[in-house]
Amino acid sequence: MCNSFNKRFLDEASKNYNDQDHRDEAEVVTHLTFMTKAVKQAIEGLSKNEGGPFGCIIVKDNKIVGRGHNKVTSTNDPTAHAEVVAIRDACKNLNTFQLNDCILYTSCEPCPMCLGAIYWARPQKVYYACNQNDAANIGFDDAFIYKEIALPQNDRTIPFEQIYRSLGLEAFKAWTDKEDKTAY
């Protein structure tokens, strides 16, 4: 038996449940739309022979503010990965060096370099389509970089050696003493 209180409760619960379903559906459509655009960036780069199969877009307030695809081979720049290109584009378009309140959509899980760039840019969230294993399966294996990072400097494939620390500290002292610096 359903009294008026129970009926109101059930009606309200049903309305809230249906509203949540619509929000979830809209969010899925939005994610699909933006991820599709990131993948299209990757395919655009491939069609122009500009680099590997990676694309990225950056979104703020549901508007694309940055785009990029891999341009490593066309620019002879090993840092011209899709995420870095998109971060540079978004920062230029927004006139800022931090991407607070932005969401990054990328066609593949970021490599270690792009991961670092993403953390420096500070977006709100990152969505990716393919993962590290998918990339490795087509010849883009970053596992060795992750292993290198964990090694002591003397054991890395590319030797790292600290020299002239006191000289380098002069720039750090100048930064510390600088009164009109923009901290980040």
Side-chain angles (χ1 to χ4, degrees):
M1 176 160 236
C2 187
N3 64 30
S4 63
F5 173 78
N6 287 338
K7 182 170 181 354
R8 277 195 322 256
F9 175 79
L10 291 173
D11 287 345
E12 188 63 29
S14 175
K15 179 183 179 296
N16 288 338
Y17 180 78
N18 288 333
D19 287 348
Q20 182 62 44
D21 282 351
H22 292 299
R23 278 194 299 266
D24 291 345
E25 288 171 17
E27 189 173 302
V28 167
V29 169
T30 301
H31 288 316
L32 177 60
T33 299
F34 289 135
M35 188 57 75
T36 299
K37 290 180 185 296
V39 172
K40 284 184 177 180
Q41 280 291 309
I43 293 169
E44 178 185 326
L46 287 174
S47 69
K48 294 178 178 180
N49 291 320
E50 291 185 330
F54 305 99
C56 180
I57 64 162
I58 298 175
V59 175
K60 183 172 185 171
D61 300 326
N62 281 330
K63 294 182 181 90
I64 297 173
V65 296
R67 301 171 190 271
H69 55 262
N70 185 289
K71 295 183 177 185
V72 169
T73 58
S74 62
T75 61
N76 294 320
D77 179 355
T79 69
H81 289 201
E83 295 88 346
V84 172
V85 173
I87 288 169
R88 289 173 180 162
D89 188 46
C91 288
K92 179 182 171 189
N93 292 335
L94 296 173
N95 195 33
T96 183
F97 56 86
Q98 293 186 337
L99 299 175
N100 302 332
D101 302 321
C102 291
I103 298 174
L104 193 143
Y105 291 84
T106 183
S107 62
C108 187
E109 185 176 1
C111 75
M113 177 187 69
C114 293
L115 184 64
I118 288 166
Y119 272 92
W120 279 112
R122 296 178 176 93
Q124 179 181 345
K125 190 164 187 173
V126 175
Y127 293 98
Y128 61 92
C130 298
N131 63 32
Q132 291 177 28
N133 293 329
D134 298 324
N137 288 338
I138 62 164
F140 294 92
D141 191 354
D142 298 324
F144 77 96
I145 298 173
Y146 287 106
K147 290 176 186 170
E148 287 282 310
I149 291 170
L151 291 174
Q153 290 181 353
N154 292 339
D155 295 338
R156 292 182 182 165
T157 304
I158 298 173
F160 282 68
E161 181 180 346
Q162 185 178 24
I163 61 172
Y164 305 114
R165 179 173 178 260
S166 60
L167 181 62
L169 287 173
E170 290 177 21
F172 283 14
K173 181 176 181 341
W175 170 259
T176 301
D177 295 343
K178 185 172 175 58
E179 292 182 14
D180 63 342
K181 64 186 167 218
T182 302
Y184 63 99

